Amino acid sequence: MSELLTKILYAINSVIGNYGWSMIVFTLLIKILILPLDYKSRKGMRKMTAVQPEMMKLQKKYANDKEKLNQKTAELYRKEGVSPMSGCLPMLVSMFVLWFMWAAMRRVANTELAKQCIELLTTGAQKNVSFLWIKNLWMPDSPFAPVIATQSSLAMMTPEIWTQVFATLNAEQVTALAGFGIDAATISSETILAALQTLPIYAQETALWAAMPRVNLLITTLTIYANNNGWFVLPILAAVTQYLMTLTQPQTAPADPNSSAASTNNFMKYFFPLFSLWICSSYNALFSLYWVVSNLFAWIQSIVLNKVFDNMEKTEKATMKEDTLK
């Protein structure tokens, strides 16, 4: 499935001609396709949240009788038309699709970065894929990241990527790489990095890096690169949109606000935004763009669906009240 999604992303880019806008279209397309699954999942979770007060009463009443608790719980589910799996199964399918989408995006980004490195080695120049303020989509959107590949970015490349890219090279490129001692058997992230480090442009960049100021943190030191790749906009947007998304997601309130479950909920509310900030600051900008667009879509979708479900519940209550009066 990831191969199919990879072809779709390439097809979209062949029409649009920019990977940044192509990723936005690609993300929105996939999110719209799985919207019915998200709708079913959200509806099931809303129903589970609605019966939570009754569930708490049963848990308190039959705390010492597990068999009776299970029986009464099943009766409650039948009465309210609720299934614990109604919210989980669509969500699992949705996550399954998004996982393959992420794999496709990662494959495209790594493949294009590999091609970019080989282009730099064989021609002495690098054609960057820019988007708005970002100079190179295959590197992080950060003042702490350069435009050209580094050891950390190349470390994410699998041997399969290098083998596939090498198979697409023409005779002139193969000959140029042979001058660095690289062939089909030896090509890897390590040999490519070693070859890049022999280039004058890489030496010039390295000299600039050494002269630039550093930001000392408790756990690491960050270098502000002279020819940096971005302004750190996407990682910040990823963290902000991740937090906004958590505010609109349906959550089951724990019986005890001081319980470990409540503490876990509060922890996760802040953990995921911080995690988003970290991963988007260290991974390529294309991935960060996907993350931000996906979060924004999910946030808006949550707001809209919450209003839809609220109106549906109000209508149902009004209908029940009318039937009672009759």
Side-chain angles (χ1 to χ4, degrees):
M1 186 174 181
S2 62
E3 186 174 349
L4 172 62
L5 292 174
T6 300
K7 291 180 179 179
I8 292 175
L9 179 53
Y10 276 128
I12 293 173
N13 186 67
S14 67
V15 176
I16 296 177
N18 181 275
Y19 275 104
W21 294 113
S22 297
M23 175 52 66
I24 293 175
V25 173
F26 180 60
T27 304
L28 293 177
L29 175 63
I30 299 300
K31 295 293 285 186
I32 290 172
L33 287 176
I34 64 176
L35 182 57
L37 295 174
D38 289 338
Y39 176 86
K40 290 183 179 180
S41 176
R42 182 64 60 89
K43 189 174 182 180
M45 294 175 71
R46 291 269 300 202
K47 287 185 176 181
M48 287 297 297
T49 302
V51 301
Q52 193 65 21
E54 294 298 323
M55 277 292 302
M56 292 180 181
K57 292 179 182 178
L58 292 177
Q59 290 171 357
K60 185 176 181 180
K61 184 176 182 179
Y62 301 105
N64 299 321
D65 191 343
K66 297 298 181 183
E67 184 176 348
K68 193 71 172 179
L69 175 61
N70 292 335
Q71 178 185 342
K72 291 296 183 181
T73 300
E75 292 176 0
L76 176 64
Y77 286 162
R78 285 195 298 270
K79 177 184 176 183
E80 299 295 336
V82 174
S83 171
M85 299 303 294
S86 62
C88 296
L89 286 177
M91 182 173 62
L92 289 175
V93 175
S94 175
M95 291 177 63
F96 183 74
V97 174
L98 291 175
W99 168 259
F100 280 108
M101 177 186 172
W102 178 81
M105 179 276 307
R106 180 183 180 185
R107 184 173 183 173
V108 169
N110 286 343
T111 299
E112 294 304 316
L113 180 61
K115 291 179 180 179
Q116 202 173 65
C117 290
I118 291 175
E119 179 186 43
L120 181 57
L121 286 173
T122 56
T123 67
Q126 177 173 290
K127 184 179 179 181
N128 294 321
V129 181
S130 61
F131 177 73
L132 300 179
W133 66 90
I134 302 166
K135 298 175 184 175
N136 186 8
L137 274 174
W138 316 128
M139 293 296 289
D141 170 24
S142 171
F144 309 115
V147 177
I148 61 178
T150 61
Q151 182 177 1
S152 59
S153 61
L154 291 175
M156 300 180 184
M157 313 280 282
T158 62
E160 177 190 9
I161 293 294
W162 292 112
T163 300
Q164 291 177 349
V165 171
F166 190 89
T168 65
L169 301 182
N170 57 41
E172 185 178 349
Q173 291 173 313
V174 171
T175 301
L177 286 181
F180 294 97
I182 299 174
D183 56 25
T186 60
I187 189 168
S188 66
S189 296
E190 292 76 14
T191 56
I192 290 293
L193 177 63
L196 287 174
Q197 290 173 339
T198 65
L199 297 179
I201 185 175
Y202 208 94
Q204 293 169 8
E205 290 289 333
T206 304
L208 286 174
W209 301 347
M212 291 301 292
R214 287 170 169 75
V215 178
N216 293 317
L217 303 177
L218 293 177
I219 58 176
T220 187
T221 300
L222 301 176
T223 301
I224 301 177
Y225 291 99
N227 297 326
N228 59 69
N229 193 50
W231 304 339
F232 213 66
V233 175
L234 289 179
I236 292 175
L237 285 178
V240 172
T241 54
Q242 186 73 40
Y243 178 75
L244 291 175
M245 192 173 66
T246 61
L247 298 180
T248 57
Q249 293 293 322
Q251 298 180 357
T252 302
D256 182 6
N258 296 319
S259 65
S260 59
S263 299
T264 301
N265 287 343
N266 289 330
F267 170 76
M268 299 307 286
K269 182 189 297 185
Y270 298 102
F271 169 77
F272 281 116
L274 291 175
F275 174 76
S276 299
L277 179 68
W278 172 74
I279 195 170
C280 289
S281 64
S282 57
Y283 209 50
N284 63 74
L286 189 73
F287 173 78
S288 300
L289 184 60
Y290 150 72
W291 198 291
V292 170
V293 174
S294 181
N295 284 349
L296 278 173
F297 186 94
W299 177 49
I300 296 172
Q301 173 185 293
S302 294
I303 293 174
V304 173
L305 289 182
N306 285 340
K307 290 184 177 180
V308 169
F309 289 133
D310 287 343
N311 291 334
M312 289 173 59
E313 290 172 2
K314 288 179 181 178
T315 302
E316 289 176 2
K317 289 179 180 179
T319 302
M320 292 176 60
K321 185 175 181 180
E322 291 177 2
D323 293 340
T324 303
L325 294 175
K326 291 179 182 179

